[in-house]
Coordinates of all heavy atoms in Angstrom, one line a residue:
M240 N -191.3 -50.4 43.7 CA -190.8 -51.2 44.8 C -189.6 -50.6 45.3 O -188.9 -50.0 44.6 CB -190.5 -52.7 44.2 CG -190.0 -53.5 45.3 SD -189.5 -55.2 44.7 CE -191.1 -55.7 44.0
I241 N -189.5 -50.7 46.6 CA -188.3 -50.1 47.3 C -187.6 -51.2 48.1 O -188.2 -52.0 48.8 CB -188.8 -49.0 48.3 CG1 -189.5 -47.9 47.5 CG2 -187.6 -48.5 49.1 CD1 -190.3 -47.0 48.5
V242 N -186.3 -51.3 47.9 CA -185.5 -52.3 48.6 C -184.5 -51.4 49.6 O -183.9 -50.4 49.1 CB -184.6 -53.1 47.6 CG1 -183.6 -54.0 48.4 CG2 -185.5 -53.9 46.8
I243 N -184.5 -51.9 50.8 CA -183.5 -51.3 51.8 C -182.5 -52.4 52.1 O -183.0 -53.5 52.4 CB -184.3 -50.9 53.1 CG1 -185.4 -50.0 52.8 CG2 -183.3 -50.3 54.1 CD1 -185.0 -48.6 52.2
S244 N -181.3 -52.1 52.0 CA -180.2 -53.1 52.3 C -179.0 -52.4 53.0 O -178.7 -51.3 52.7 CB -179.7 -53.8 51.0 OG -178.8 -54.7 51.3
G245 N -178.5 -53.1 54.0 CA -177.4 -52.5 54.8 C -176.8 -53.4 55.8 O -177.2 -54.6 55.9
T246 N -175.9 -52.8 56.5 CA -175.1 -53.6 57.6 C -175.1 -52.8 58.8 O -175.1 -51.5 58.8 CB -173.7 -54.0 57.1 OG1 -173.0 -52.7 56.9 CG2 -173.7 -54.9 55.9
V247 N -175.0 -53.5 60.0 CA -174.7 -52.9 61.2 C -173.9 -53.8 62.1 O -174.2 -55.0 62.2 CB -176.1 -52.4 61.9 CG1 -177.0 -53.7 62.1 CG2 -175.9 -51.7 63.3
A248 N -172.8 -53.3 62.7 CA -172.0 -54.1 63.6 C -172.7 -54.1 65.0 O -173.1 -53.0 65.5 CB -170.6 -53.3 63.7
I249 N -172.7 -55.2 65.5 CA -173.4 -55.5 66.8 C -172.3 -55.7 67.8 O -171.2 -56.3 67.7 CB -174.3 -56.8 66.7 CG1 -175.4 -56.6 65.6 CG2 -174.8 -57.1 68.1 CD1 -176.3 -55.5 65.9
N250 N -172.6 -55.0 69.0 CA -171.7 -55.2 70.2 C -171.7 -56.7 70.6 O -172.8 -57.2 70.9 CB -172.3 -54.3 71.4 CG -171.6 -54.5 72.6 OD1 -170.7 -55.4 72.8 ND2 -171.7 -53.6 73.5
P251 N -170.6 -57.4 70.5 CA -170.6 -58.8 70.8 C -171.2 -59.2 72.1 O -171.9 -60.3 72.2 CB -169.1 -59.2 70.8 CG -168.5 -58.1 70.0 CD -169.3 -56.9 70.2
E252 N -171.1 -58.4 73.1 CA -171.7 -58.7 74.5 C -173.2 -58.6 74.5 O -173.8 -59.1 75.4 CB -171.1 -57.8 75.6 CG -169.7 -58.0 75.9 CD -168.8 -57.0 75.1 OE1 -169.1 -55.9 75.0 OE2 -167.6 -57.4 74.8
K253 N -173.7 -57.9 73.5 CA -175.1 -57.7 73.4 C -175.8 -58.4 72.2 O -177.0 -58.2 71.8 CB -175.5 -56.2 73.2 CG -174.9 -55.3 74.3 CD -175.8 -55.5 75.5 CE -175.4 -54.5 76.6 NZ -176.4 -54.3 77.7
R254 N -175.1 -59.4 71.7 CA -175.6 -60.1 70.5 C -176.9 -60.8 70.7 O -177.8 -60.7 69.9 CB -174.6 -61.2 70.1 CG -174.9 -61.7 68.7 CD -173.8 -62.7 68.1 NE -174.2 -63.0 66.7 CZ -175.1 -63.9 66.4 NH1 -175.9 -64.4 67.2 NH2 -175.3 -64.1 65.0
E255 N -177.1 -61.5 71.8 CA -178.5 -62.2 72.1 C -179.5 -61.1 72.2 O -180.6 -61.4 71.6 CB -178.3 -63.1 73.4 CG -177.5 -64.3 73.2 CD -177.5 -65.1 74.5 OE1 -178.6 -65.2 75.1 OE2 -176.5 -65.8 74.7
E256 N -179.3 -60.1 72.8 CA -180.3 -59.0 72.9 C -180.6 -58.4 71.5 O -181.8 -58.1 71.1 CB -179.9 -57.9 73.8 CG -179.8 -58.2 75.3 CD -179.3 -57.1 76.1 OE1 -179.8 -56.0 76.0 OE2 -178.3 -57.4 76.9
A257 N -179.6 -58.3 70.7 CA -179.7 -57.8 69.4 C -180.5 -58.8 68.5 O -181.4 -58.3 67.7 CB -178.3 -57.4 68.7
V258 N -180.2 -60.0 68.6 CA -181.0 -61.1 67.8 C -182.4 -60.9 68.2 O -183.3 -60.9 67.4 CB -180.4 -62.4 68.1 CG1 -181.4 -63.5 67.6 CG2 -179.1 -62.6 67.4
A259 N -182.7 -60.9 69.5 CA -184.2 -60.8 70.0 C -184.8 -59.5 69.5 O -186.0 -59.6 69.0 CB -184.2 -60.8 71.5
A260 N -184.1 -58.4 69.5 CA -184.7 -57.1 69.1 C -184.9 -57.3 67.5 O -186.0 -56.7 67.1 CB -183.8 -56.0 69.4
A261 N -184.0 -57.8 66.8 CA -184.2 -58.0 65.3 C -185.3 -58.8 65.0 O -186.1 -58.5 64.1 CB -182.8 -58.5 64.7
L262 N -185.5 -60.0 65.6 CA -186.6 -60.9 65.4 C -187.9 -60.2 65.7 O -188.9 -60.4 64.9 CB -186.5 -62.1 66.1 CG -185.3 -63.1 65.7 CD1 -185.1 -64.2 66.7 CD2 -185.6 -63.7 64.4
E263 N -188.0 -59.5 66.8 CA -189.2 -58.8 67.2 C -189.5 -57.7 66.1 O -190.7 -57.5 65.6 CB -189.0 -58.1 68.5 CG -190.3 -57.5 69.1 CD -189.9 -57.0 70.5 OE1 -189.5 -57.8 71.4 OE2 -190.1 -55.8 70.7
M264 N -188.5 -56.9 65.7 CA -188.8 -55.9 64.7 C -189.1 -56.5 63.3 O -190.1 -55.9 62.7 CB -187.4 -55.1 64.5 CG -187.6 -54.0 63.5 SD -188.7 -52.7 64.2 CE -188.5 -51.5 62.9
S265 N -188.6 -57.6 62.9 CA -188.9 -58.3 61.6 C -190.3 -58.7 61.7 O -191.1 -58.5 60.7 CB -188.1 -59.5 61.5 OG -186.7 -59.1 61.1
A266 N -190.8 -59.4 62.7 CA -192.2 -59.9 62.8 C -193.2 -58.7 62.7 O -194.2 -58.8 62.0 CB -192.4 -60.7 64.1
A267 N -192.9 -57.7 63.5 CA -193.8 -56.5 63.5 C -193.8 -55.8 62.1 O -194.9 -55.4 61.7 CB -193.4 -55.5 64.6
S268 N -192.7 -55.6 61.6 CA -192.6 -55.0 60.3 C -193.3 -55.7 59.2 O -194.0 -55.2 58.3 CB -191.2 -54.6 60.0 OG -190.6 -53.8 61.0
E269 N -193.1 -57.0 59.1 CA -193.7 -57.8 58.1 C -195.3 -57.9 58.2 O -195.9 -58.3 57.3 CB -193.1 -59.2 58.0 CG -191.7 -59.2 57.5 CD -191.1 -60.6 57.2 OE1 -191.5 -61.5 57.8 OE2 -190.2 -60.7 56.4
A270 N -195.7 -57.5 59.4 CA -197.2 -57.5 59.5 C -197.8 -56.1 59.0 O -199.0 -56.0 58.9 CB -197.6 -57.7 61.0
E271 N -196.9 -55.2 58.7 CA -197.3 -53.9 58.1 C -197.8 -54.0 56.7 O -197.4 -54.8 55.9 CB -196.2 -52.9 58.2 CG -195.8 -52.5 59.7 CD -194.6 -51.6 59.5 OE1 -194.8 -50.5 58.8 OE2 -193.6 -51.8 60.2
D272 N -198.9 -53.2 56.4 CA -199.3 -53.0 55.0 C -198.2 -52.5 54.1 O -197.5 -51.6 54.5 CB -200.5 -52.0 55.0 CG -201.0 -51.8 53.6 OD1 -201.3 -52.8 53.0 OD2 -201.0 -50.7 53.2
G273 N -197.9 -53.2 53.1 CA -197.0 -52.8 52.1 C -195.6 -53.3 52.3 O -194.7 -53.2 51.5
C274 N -195.4 -54.1 53.4 CA -194.1 -54.7 53.6 C -194.1 -56.1 53.0 O -194.9 -56.9 53.3 CB -193.8 -54.8 55.1 SG -192.2 -55.6 55.5
I275 N -193.1 -56.4 52.2 CA -193.0 -57.7 51.5 C -192.0 -58.6 52.3 O -192.3 -59.7 52.6 CB -192.5 -57.5 50.0 CG1 -193.6 -56.8 49.2 CG2 -192.3 -58.9 49.4 CD1 -193.2 -56.3 47.8
T276 N -190.9 -58.0 52.7 CA -189.8 -58.7 53.4 C -189.2 -57.7 54.4 O -188.9 -56.6 54.0 CB -188.8 -59.2 52.4 OG1 -189.4 -60.2 51.5 CG2 -187.7 -60.0 53.2
Y277 N -188.9 -58.2 55.5 CA -188.1 -57.4 56.5 C -187.3 -58.3 57.3 O -187.8 -59.0 58.2 CB -189.1 -56.6 57.4 CG -188.4 -55.4 58.1 CD1 -188.6 -54.1 57.7 CD2 -187.5 -55.7 59.2 CE1 -188.1 -53.1 58.4 CE2 -186.9 -54.6 59.9 CZ -187.2 -53.4 59.5 OH -186.6 -52.3 60.1
R278 N -186.0 -58.5 57.0 CA -185.2 -59.5 57.7 C -183.8 -59.1 58.0 O -183.2 -58.3 57.3 CB -185.0 -60.8 56.8 CG -186.3 -61.6 56.5 CD -186.8 -62.2 57.7 NE -188.1 -62.7 57.5 CZ -188.5 -63.9 58.0 NH1 -187.6 -64.6 58.8 NH2 -189.7 -64.3 57.8
F279 N -183.3 -59.6 59.1 CA -181.9 -59.4 59.4 C -181.2 -60.8 59.3 O -181.8 -61.8 59.6 CB -181.8 -59.1 61.0 CG -182.4 -57.6 61.2 CD1 -183.7 -57.4 61.5 CD2 -181.5 -56.6 61.2 CE1 -184.2 -56.2 61.9 CE2 -181.9 -55.3 61.6 CZ -183.3 -55.1 61.8
Y280 N -179.9 -60.7 58.9 CA -179.1 -61.9 58.7 C -177.7 -61.7 59.4 O -177.2 -60.6 59.2 CB -178.9 -62.2 57.2 CG -180.3 -62.4 56.5 CD1 -180.9 -61.4 55.8 CD2 -180.9 -63.7 56.5 CE1 -182.1 -61.5 55.1 CE2 -182.1 -63.8 55.8 CZ -182.7 -62.8 55.1 OH -183.9 -62.9 54.5
A281 N -177.1 -62.7 59.9 CA -175.8 -62.7 60.4 C -174.8 -62.9 59.3 O -175.0 -63.8 58.5 CB -175.6 -63.6 61.6
D282 N -173.8 -62.1 59.2 CA -172.8 -62.3 58.1 C -172.1 -63.6 58.4 O -171.8 -64.0 59.5 CB -171.8 -61.1 58.2 CG -170.8 -61.2 57.0 OD1 -171.1 -60.6 56.1 OD2 -169.7 -61.7 57.2
L283 N -171.7 -64.3 57.3 CA -171.1 -65.6 57.4 C -169.7 -65.6 58.0 O -169.1 -66.5 58.7 CB -171.1 -66.3 56.1 CG -172.4 -66.9 55.6 CD1 -172.3 -67.4 54.2 CD2 -173.2 -67.7 56.5
E284 N -169.0 -64.5 57.7 CA -167.6 -64.2 58.2 C -167.5 -63.5 59.5 O -166.5 -63.7 60.2 CB -166.8 -63.5 57.1 CG -166.6 -64.3 55.8 CD -165.8 -63.5 54.8 OE1 -165.4 -62.3 55.1 OE2 -165.5 -64.1 53.7
D285 N -168.5 -62.8 59.8 CA -168.5 -62.0 61.1 C -169.9 -62.1 61.7 O -170.8 -61.4 61.3 CB -168.1 -60.6 60.8 CG -168.1 -59.8 62.1 OD1 -168.4 -60.2 63.2 OD2 -167.8 -58.6 62.0
P286 N -170.1 -62.9 62.7 CA -171.5 -63.2 63.2 C -172.0 -61.9 64.0 O -173.1 -61.9 64.3 CB -171.3 -64.3 64.1 CG -169.9 -64.4 64.5 CD -169.1 -63.9 63.2
N287 N -171.1 -61.0 64.2 CA -171.5 -59.7 64.9 C -171.8 -58.6 63.9 O -171.9 -57.5 64.3 CB -170.4 -59.3 65.9 CG -170.4 -60.3 67.0 OD1 -171.4 -60.7 67.5 ND2 -169.2 -60.7 67.4
L288 N -171.8 -59.0 62.6 CA -172.2 -58.0 61.6 C -173.5 -58.5 61.1 O -173.7 -59.5 60.5 CB -171.2 -58.0 60.5 CG -171.5 -57.0 59.3 CD1 -171.4 -55.6 59.8 CD2 -170.6 -57.3 58.1
F289 N -174.6 -57.7 61.3 CA -176.0 -58.0 60.9 C -176.1 -57.4 59.5 O -175.8 -56.2 59.3 CB -177.0 -57.6 61.8 CG -177.1 -58.4 63.0 CD1 -176.2 -59.4 63.4 CD2 -178.2 -58.3 63.9 CE1 -176.3 -60.2 64.5 CE2 -178.4 -59.1 65.0 CZ -177.4 -60.0 65.3
R290 N -176.9 -58.0 58.6 CA -177.3 -57.5 57.4 C -178.8 -57.3 57.4 O -179.5 -58.2 57.9 CB -176.8 -58.4 56.2 CG -175.4 -58.5 56.2 CD -174.8 -59.3 54.9 NE -173.4 -59.2 54.9 CZ -172.7 -58.2 54.4 NH1 -173.3 -57.1 53.9 NH2 -171.4 -58.2 54.5
L291 N -179.2 -56.2 56.9 CA -180.7 -55.9 56.8 C -181.1 -56.0 55.4 O -180.4 -55.4 54.5 CB -180.9 -54.5 57.4 CG -182.3 -53.9 57.3 CD1 -183.3 -54.7 58.1 CD2 -182.3 -52.5 57.7
F292 N -182.3 -56.5 55.1 CA -182.9 -56.6 53.8 C -184.4 -56.5 53.9 O -185.0 -57.2 54.6 CB -182.5 -58.0 53.1 CG -183.0 -58.0 51.7 CD1 -182.3 -57.4 50.8 CD2 -184.1 -58.7 51.3 CE1 -182.7 -57.3 49.4 CE2 -184.6 -58.7 50.0 CZ -183.9 -58.1 49.1
E293 N -184.9 -55.4 53.3 CA -186.3 -55.1 53.4 C -186.8 -54.8 52.0 O -186.0 -54.3 51.1 CB -186.6 -53.7 54.1 CG -186.0 -53.6 55.4 CD -186.2 -52.2 56.0 OE1 -187.1 -51.5 55.7 OE2 -185.3 -51.8 56.8
V294 N -188.0 -55.2 51.7 CA -188.6 -54.9 50.4 C -190.1 -54.3 50.8 O -190.8 -54.9 51.5 CB -188.8 -56.2 49.5 CG1 -189.5 -55.9 48.2 CG2 -187.5 -56.8 49.3
W295 N -190.3 -53.2 50.1 CA -191.6 -52.5 50.4 C -192.3 -52.2 49.1 O -191.7 -52.0 48.0 CB -191.3 -51.2 51.0 CG -190.8 -51.3 52.4 CD1 -189.4 -51.5 52.8 CD2 -191.5 -51.4 53.6 NE1 -189.4 -51.6 54.1 CE2 -190.6 -51.6 54.6 CE3 -192.9 -51.3 53.9 CZ2 -191.0 -51.7 56.0 CZ3 -193.2 -51.4 55.2 CH2 -192.3 -51.7 56.2
E296 N -193.6 -52.4 49.0 CA -194.5 -52.1 47.8 C -194.4 -50.7 47.4 O -194.4 -50.4 46.2 CB -195.9 -52.6 48.1 CG -196.0 -54.1 48.2 CD -197.5 -54.5 48.5 OE1 -198.3 -53.6 48.8 OE2 -197.8 -55.7 48.5
R297 N -194.5 -49.7 48.4 CA -194.6 -48.4 48.0 C -193.9 -47.5 49.0 O -193.7 -47.9 50.2 CB -196.2 -48.0 48.1 CG -197.1 -48.9 47.4 CD -198.6 -48.6 47.8 NE -198.9 -48.4 49.2 CZ -199.1 -49.5 50.0 NH1 -199.0 -50.7 49.6 NH2 -199.4 -49.2 51.2
G298 N -193.7 -46.3 48.5 CA -193.0 -45.3 49.4 C -193.8 -44.9 50.6 O -193.2 -44.6 51.7
D299 N -195.1 -44.8 50.5 CA -195.9 -44.3 51.6 C -196.0 -45.4 52.6 O -196.0 -45.1 53.9 CB -197.4 -44.0 51.1 CG -198.2 -45.1 50.5 OD1 -197.6 -46.0 49.8 OD2 -199.4 -45.2 50.8
A300 N -195.8 -46.7 52.2 CA -195.8 -47.8 53.3 C -194.5 -47.7 54.0 O -194.5 -47.9 55.3 CB -195.9 -49.2 52.6
L301 N -193.4 -47.4 53.3 CA -192.1 -47.2 54.0 C -192.1 -46.0 55.0 O -191.7 -46.1 56.1 CB -191.0 -47.1 53.0 CG -189.5 -46.9 53.6 CD1 -189.2 -48.0 54.5 CD2 -188.6 -46.7 52.5
A302 N -192.7 -44.9 54.5 CA -192.8 -43.7 55.3 C -193.7 -44.0 56.6 O -193.3 -43.6 57.7 CB -193.5 -42.6 54.6
A303 N -194.7 -44.8 56.5 CA -195.6 -45.1 57.6 C -194.8 -46.0 58.6 O -195.0 -45.9 59.8 CB -196.8 -45.8 57.1
H304 N -194.0 -46.8 58.0 CA -193.2 -47.8 58.9 C -192.3 -47.0 59.8 O -192.2 -47.4 61.0 CB -192.3 -48.6 57.9 CG -191.2 -49.4 58.6 ND1 -191.4 -50.4 59.5 CD2 -189.8 -49.2 58.6 CE1 -190.2 -50.8 60.0 NE2 -189.3 -50.1 59.4
F305 N -191.7 -45.9 59.4 CA -190.8 -45.1 60.3 C -191.6 -44.4 61.4 O -191.1 -43.9 62.4 CB -190.1 -44.0 59.5 CG -189.1 -44.6 58.6 CD1 -189.1 -44.6 57.3 CD2 -188.0 -45.4 59.2 CE1 -188.2 -45.2 56.5 CE2 -187.0 -46.0 58.4 CZ -187.0 -45.8 57.0
E306 N -192.9 -44.4 61.4 CA -193.8 -43.8 62.4 C -194.5 -44.8 63.3 O -195.3 -44.4 64.2 CB -194.9 -42.9 61.7 CG -194.4 -41.8 60.8 CD -193.4 -40.9 61.5 OE1 -193.7 -40.5 62.6 OE2 -192.3 -40.5 60.8
T307 N -194.2 -46.0 63.2 CA -194.8 -47.1 64.0 C -194.2 -47.2 65.3 O -193.0 -46.8 65.7 CB -194.7 -48.5 63.3 OG1 -193.2 -48.8 63.2 CG2 -195.3 -48.5 62.0
P308 N -195.1 -47.6 66.4 CA -194.6 -47.8 67.7 C -193.4 -48.7 67.9 O -192.4 -48.5 68.6 CB -195.8 -48.2 68.5 CG -197.0 -47.8 67.7 CD -196.5 -47.9 66.2
H309 N -193.4 -49.8 67.0 CA -192.3 -50.8 67.1 C -191.0 -50.2 66.6 O -189.9 -50.5 67.1 CB -192.7 -52.2 66.5 CG -193.0 -52.1 65.0 ND1 -194.4 -52.0 64.7 CD2 -192.3 -52.1 63.9 CE1 -194.5 -51.9 63.4 NE2 -193.3 -52.0 62.9
M310 N -191.1 -49.3 65.6 CA -189.9 -48.6 65.2 C -189.3 -47.7 66.2 O -188.1 -47.7 66.4 CB -190.2 -47.8 63.9 CG -189.0 -47.0 63.4 SD -187.4 -48.0 63.1 CE -187.7 -48.4 61.4
A311 N -190.2 -47.0 67.0 CA -189.8 -46.2 68.1 C -189.1 -47.0 69.2 O -188.0 -46.6 69.7 CB -190.9 -45.4 68.7
V312 N -189.6 -48.1 69.5 CA -189.0 -49.0 70.5 C -187.7 -49.5 70.0 O -186.7 -49.5 70.8 CB -189.9 -50.2 70.8 CG1 -189.2 -51.2 71.7 CG2 -191.2 -49.7 71.6
F313 N -187.6 -49.9 68.8 CA -186.4 -50.5 68.2 C -185.3 -49.4 68.1 O -184.2 -49.7 68.6 CB -186.6 -51.0 66.7 CG -185.5 -51.7 66.1 CD1 -185.1 -52.9 66.5 CD2 -184.8 -51.1 65.1 CE1 -184.0 -53.6 65.9 CE2 -183.8 -51.7 64.4 CZ -183.4 -53.0 64.9
R314 N -185.6 -48.2 67.7 CA -184.6 -47.1 67.7 C -184.1 -46.8 69.2 O -183.0 -46.4 69.2 CB -185.3 -45.8 67.2 CG -185.4 -45.9 65.6 CD -185.9 -44.6 65.1 NE -185.9 -44.6 63.6 CZ -186.6 -43.8 62.9 NH1 -187.4 -43.0 63.4 NH2 -186.5 -43.9 61.6
K315 N -184.9 -46.9 70.1 CA -184.5 -46.7 71.5 C -183.5 -47.7 71.9 O -182.6 -47.4 72.7 CB -185.7 -46.7 72.4 CG -185.6 -45.9 73.6 CD -186.9 -45.8 74.4 CE -187.1 -44.5 74.9 NZ -188.2 -44.2 75.7
K316 N -183.7 -49.0 71.5 CA -182.7 -50.0 71.9 C -181.4 -50.0 71.2 O -180.4 -50.4 71.7 CB -183.4 -51.4 71.6 CG -184.5 -51.7 72.5 CD -185.2 -53.1 72.1 CE -186.4 -53.4 72.8 NZ -187.0 -54.6 72.5
L317 N -181.4 -49.4 69.9 CA -180.2 -49.5 69.1 C -178.9 -49.1 69.7 O -177.9 -49.7 69.5 CB -180.5 -48.9 67.8 CG -181.1 -49.6 66.7 CD1 -181.3 -48.8 65.4 CD2 -180.4 -51.0 66.4
P318 N -178.9 -47.9 70.3 CA -177.5 -47.3 70.8 C -176.9 -48.3 71.7 O -175.6 -48.4 71.7 CB -177.9 -46.0 71.5 CG -179.2 -45.6 70.8 CD -180.0 -46.9 70.5
D319 N -177.6 -49.0 72.5 CA -177.0 -50.0 73.4 C -176.5 -51.4 72.7 O -175.7 -52.1 73.3 CB -178.0 -50.4 74.5 CG -177.4 -51.2 75.7 OD1 -176.3 -50.8 76.1 OD2 -177.9 -52.2 76.1
L320 N -177.1 -51.6 71.6 CA -176.8 -52.9 70.9 C -175.7 -52.8 69.8 O -175.1 -53.8 69.4 CB -178.1 -53.4 70.2 CG -179.2 -53.6 71.2 CD1 -180.4 -54.1 70.4 CD2 -178.8 -54.6 72.3
V321 N -175.5 -51.6 69.2 CA -174.6 -51.5 68.1 C -173.2 -51.1 68.5 O -173.0 -50.6 69.6 CB -175.1 -50.6 67.0 CG1 -176.5 -51.0 66.5 CG2 -175.2 -49.1 67.5
A322 N -172.3 -51.5 67.6 CA -170.9 -51.2 67.9 C -170.2 -50.2 66.8 O -169.1 -50.1 66.7 CB -170.0 -52.5 67.8
G323 N -171.1 -49.5 66.1 CA -170.7 -48.6 65.1 C -171.9 -48.1 64.3 O -173.0 -48.5 64.5
P324 N -171.5 -47.2 63.3 CA -172.6 -46.7 62.6 C -173.2 -47.7 61.6 O -172.6 -48.7 61.2 CB -171.9 -45.6 61.8 CG -170.5 -45.9 61.8 CD -170.3 -46.7 63.0
M325 N -174.5 -47.5 61.3 CA -175.2 -48.4 60.4 C -174.8 -47.9 58.9 O -174.6 -46.7 58.8 CB -176.7 -48.4 60.5 CG -177.1 -49.0 61.9 SD -178.9 -48.8 62.1 CE -179.6 -49.9 60.9
D326 N -174.8 -48.8 58.0 CA -174.6 -48.5 56.6 C -175.7 -49.0 55.8 O -175.8 -50.3 55.5 CB -173.3 -49.0 56.0 CG -173.0 -48.7 54.6 OD1 -173.7 -47.8 54.0 OD2 -172.3 -49.4 53.9
V327 N -176.8 -48.2 55.6 CA -178.0 -48.7 55.1 C -178.3 -47.8 53.7 O -178.3 -46.6 53.8 CB -179.2 -48.5 56.0 CG1 -180.5 -49.0 55.4 CG2 -178.9 -49.3 57.3
K328 N -178.8 -48.4 52.7 CA -179.1 -47.8 51.5 C -180.5 -48.0 51.0 O -181.0 -49.2 51.3 CB -178.1 -48.2 50.4 CG -176.7 -48.1 50.6 CD -176.2 -46.7 50.5 CE -174.7 -46.6 50.6 NZ -174.1 -46.4 51.9
R329 N -181.1 -47.2 50.3 CA -182.4 -47.3 49.7 C -182.3 -47.4 48.2 O -181.5 -46.7 47.6 CB -183.3 -46.1 50.0 CG -184.7 -46.1 49.3 CD -185.4 -44.9 49.5 NE -186.6 -44.8 48.6 CZ -187.7 -44.3 49.0 NH1 -187.9 -43.7 50.1 NH2 -188.6 -44.3 48.0
Y330 N -182.9 -48.4 47.7 CA -182.9 -48.7 46.2 C -184.3 -48.6 45.7 O -185.2 -49.3 46.1 CB -182.3 -50.0 45.8 CG -180.9 -50.2 46.4 CD1 -180.7 -50.7 47.7 CD2 -179.8 -50.0 45.6 CE1 -179.4 -50.9 48.2 CE2 -178.5 -50.0 46.1 CZ -178.4 -50.5 47.4 OH -177.1 -50.7 47.8
D331 N -184.6 -47.7 44.7 CA -186.0 -47.6 44.1 C -185.8 -48.5 42.9 O -185.1 -48.3 41.9 CB -186.3 -46.1 43.8 CG -186.5 -45.3 45.0 OD1 -187.5 -45.5 45.7 OD2 -185.6 -44.6 45.3
V332 N -186.6 -49.5 42.8 CA -186.6 -50.6 41.8 C -187.8 -50.5 40.9 O -188.9 -50.5 41.3 CB -186.5 -52.0 42.5 CG1 -186.5 -53.1 41.5 CG2 -185.4 -52.1 43.4
E333 N -187.5 -50.4 39.6 CA -188.5 -50.4 38.7 C -189.0 -51.7 38.1 O -190.2 -52.0 37.8 CB -188.1 -49.5 37.4 CG -188.0 -48.1 37.7 CD -187.5 -47.2 36.5 OE1 -187.9 -47.6 35.4 OE2 -186.9 -46.2 36.8
K334 N -188.1 -52.7 38.1 CA -188.3 -53.9 37.4 C -187.7 -55.1 38.2 O -186.5 -54.9 38.6 CB -188.0 -54.0 36.0 CG -188.3 -55.2 35.3 CD -187.9 -55.3 33.8 CE -188.2 -56.6 33.2 NZ -187.7 -56.7 31.9
V335 N -188.3 -56.2 38.5 CA -187.8 -57.3 39.2 C -188.0 -58.6 38.3 O -189.2 -58.8 37.8 CB -188.4 -57.6 40.5 CG1 -187.9 -58.8 41.2 CG2 -188.2 -56.3 41.4
S336 N -187.0 -59.4 38.1 CA -187.2 -60.6 37.3 C -186.3 -61.8 37.9 O -185.4 -61.5 38.5 CB -186.8 -60.4 35.8 OG -185.5 -60.0 35.7
D337 N -186.8 -63.0 37.6 CA -186.0 -64.1 38.1 C -184.7 -64.3 37.3 O -184.7 -64.0 36.2 CB -186.8 -65.5 38.0 CG -188.0 -65.4 38.9 OD1 -187.9 -64.9 40.1 OD2 -189.0 -66.1 38.6
L338 N -183.7 -64.8 37.9 CA -182.4 -65.1 37.2 C -182.5 -66.5 36.6 O -183.0 -67.4 37.1 CB -181.3 -65.0 38.1 CG -180.8 -63.6 38.6 CD1 -179.7 -63.6 39.6 CD2 -180.5 -62.7 37.4

């Protein structure tokens, strides 16, 4: 299992557009084979800081995700929506259990 988690600062003037793009990307990504979760969340202290959380079954599914048409559209929109560099990490997870 692969977990992707990170943050991206959103241009406050473009927040509504960023929300729409994030919702569109989430829906399209969650329809992909191997995607368990693909969500954006607004930070509680800074509503212009979005948090990304993805869970993928397999590495090949994640690799295929980067080649999808919706990813290409999303990447094209990003420069106009963000206010700084993204900080995104990949975690390769061997075991998951409930707390």
Side-chain angles (χ1 to χ4, degrees):
M240 180 182 302
I241 299 163
V242 173
I243 307 294
S244 180
T246 58
V247 59
I249 299 299
N250 180 342
E252 290 99 36
K253 300 286 185 164
R254 189 176 190 285
E255 286 185 35
E256 290 175 55
V258 168
L262 290 171
E263 189 176 300
M264 184 64 175
S265 292
S268 298
E269 286 188 337
E271 292 180 49
D272 178 54
C274 182
I275 298 170
T276 302
Y277 197 107
R278 295 293 171 139
F279 291 88
Y280 303 93
D282 188 88
L283 294 177
E284 293 179 358
D285 180 357
N287 295 313
L288 180 67
F289 284 13
R290 297 187 175 276
L291 171 64
F292 185 78
E293 308 172 28
V294 180
W295 295 87
E296 291 176 354
R297 309 171 313 279
D299 64 325
L301 178 59
H304 167 68
F305 290 115
E306 303 302 321
T307 61
H309 57 269
M310 175 57 90
V312 170
F313 186 71
R314 282 183 172 159
K315 204 173 222 183
K316 291 178 182 179
L317 274 181
D319 190 46
L320 303 176
V321 300
M325 295 177 65
D326 179 19
V327 181
K328 305 284 190 271
R329 173 185 169 147
Y330 302 88
D331 294 286
V332 179
E333 292 182 27
K334 182 180 176 186
V335 176
S336 59
D337 292 330
L338 288 178

